Amino acid sequence: MPDEVLDCRGQRCPLPVIAAARRMPEVPVGTVVRVLADDPAAAVDIPAWCRMRGQEFVAAITGPDGPAYDIRRAH
Amino acid sequence: MSASPVYLDAATAAPLHPVARQALLAALDDGWADPGKLYTQARRARQLLDAAREATAQTLGVRADELSFTPSGTAAAHGAVLGGLAARHRVGSRLVHSAIEHSAVLHAAERHVAAGGTANAVPVDRLGRLDLTAWSDAVRAPGVALAALITASHEVGTVQPVAEAAAACADAGVPLYVDAAQSVGRVPLPAGWSVLSASAHKWGGPPGVGVLAVRKGTRWESPWPADEREGGRTPGAVNLPAVVAAAASLRAAAADAAAQESRLAPLVDRIRARVAVEVPDVEVVGDPVHRLPHLVTFSCLYVDGEALLHALDRRGFAVSSGSSCTSSTLRPSHVLEAMGVLSHGNVRVSLHRETTEADVERFLAELPGIVAGLRAEAGVVGL
């Protein structure tokens, strides 16, 4: 389960990625943040951001809130 | 401040080659009659059409009777896919294609699936190169009627391993269709294909002319209502003046291709290297080595693709983008998606015979400031 949720539904890319990039440095290392994002580009861009920033992309999930992406702060 | 225009979207449409313009104007006077009729004007039109076909066939390395002119590259791609599938429906109804085909091929595949067929998209790696093992397994499966592979990615420039993919198809007895739109007139064509399509406005010909080549011995059946013109492969009267211009410009482009490749490839390498160094947080995508000589793609983190295109346009630069916000469907490019690379802030730059080193230098000089300006506006500096 994620430690916190960022609700970016209704936002178009790159906004969900920007929201994640703003939040991740504020949470302790090891924290899992779930980004809710229904823009289809988020499915590509959130994992790509994790790769570029050396953060851990945990999984893409489709739950009751729609598509979601779990990121763990790795450093 | 006004900026002089720099057109960098040749992968969409190259500027009309001067030879094409000349041939087009001459053929408007001389090639308006129906080449199928039995009078003097028609015979002149027939001569022009035959000469255009002969010249184009020679450049592509096929026989003249294997080649048809179509109303567009898209029509040629649709015909290639649907005709290849129709001819082998007794063998099966499965289409195998790479995940990075042009949308014209994917739309034909959708039509095939809607009609009860199946389609199998073979993945690519992070550089946009076909997964050959998955491809070989896919074409070997029972019931495959046709395989489709783009010769080189129109979005990221990665050249595909066509010869190896063709060998796998030959082993499996499956005909291979190649979309060669970005290769024809620029780089040598790979061997081993059965059906090929291309598009004249990519090589400096006029828009509205496509090419469909079907090799002898290939099973292919027109998916369109019957029409005896163009070998029965595509219905309707050809736009003869445009076809004549397309053929003349292809001959000129092919004759100049090696020289253009050695001029443009280093400029593309320069863009790849400098953008990676001079624009922070950028992902330059596509294979760094096995690539087309005229096309380069990169994505800028946190930047809106549409805003970037508009900002570049205001400075006179015409480029393309695979970002979702620039597409009518609001979906990111399926090519970038298949590669798993950043899709927002995406720019595709494609060069042509009129592109100068000074054009590229001005683009490289202005791009970092334009990206920085957009990031400052969006408040994402330092993220």
Side-chain angles (χ1 to χ4, degrees), chain B residues 50-136:
Chain B
D50 288 349
R53 194 185 317 283
E54 191 60 53
T56 304
Q58 208 170 29
T59 303
L60 299 180
V62 302
R63 289 166 39 156
D65 62 355
E66 294 174 330
L67 190 144
S68 302
F69 293 108
T70 66
S72 65
T74 297
H78 289 169
V81 172
L82 297 176
L85 290 166
R88 283 179 35 97
H89 73 275
R90 283 189 187 82
V91 176
S93 65
R94 180 175 288 265
L95 170 69
V96 170
H97 62 83
S98 84
I100 59 161
E101 293 304 300
H102 189 277
S103 57
V105 171
L106 297 183
H107 289 151
E110 282 164 21
R111 165 63 65 89
H112 174 64
V113 170
T118 54
N120 180 2
V122 176
V124 296
D125 64 14
R126 180 69 44 77
L127 297 177
R129 190 173 195 271
L130 183 72
D131 179 338
L132 269 173
T133 308
W135 173 270
S136 301

Side-chain angles (χ1 to χ4, degrees), chain B residues 69-73 199-201 205-211 237-240 242-243 246:
Chain B
F69 293 108
T70 66
S72 65
S199 177
H201 69 150
V209 180
V211 162
V238 295
N239 180 350
L240 183 54
V243 163

Side-chain angles (χ1 to χ4, degrees), chain B residues 268-315:
Chain B
V268 159
D269 287 343
R270 189 187 304 188
I271 296 172
R272 286 181 62 90
R274 293 259 302 271
V275 165
V277 171
E278 294 170 17
V279 180
D281 289 328
V282 76
E283 187 164 49
V284 180
V285 303
D287 194 301
V289 179
H290 302 292
R291 56 180 305 99
L292 288 168
H294 66 296
L295 192 161
V296 43
T297 307
F298 53 87
S299 297
C300 306
L301 195 59
Y302 309 136
V303 174
D304 179 284
E306 191 178 9
L308 184 51
L309 288 202
H310 288 315
L312 285 165
D313 181 49
R314 279 195 296 276
R315 296 298 309 149

Side-chain angles (χ1 to χ4, degrees), chain B residues 202-285:
Chain B
K202 312 290 189 193
W203 71 62
V209 180
V211 162
L212 174 64
V214 180
R215 302 312 303 265
K216 280 277 169 272
T218 303
R219 282 165 68 189
W220 187 91
E221 188 181 302
S222 172
W224 319 121
D227 191 317
E228 75 279 12
R229 285 171 284 205
E230 291 302 303
R233 296 188 195 101
T234 181
V238 295
N239 180 350
L240 183 54
V243 163
V244 169
S249 56
L250 177 58
R251 195 203 289 255
D256 195 28
Q260 288 300 331
E261 181 173 2
S262 49
R263 192 178 73 84
L264 298 180
L267 292 176
V268 159
D269 287 343
R270 189 187 304 188
I271 296 172
R272 286 181 62 90
R274 293 259 302 271
V275 165
V277 171
E278 294 170 17
V279 180
D281 289 328
V282 76
E283 187 164 49
V284 180
V285 303

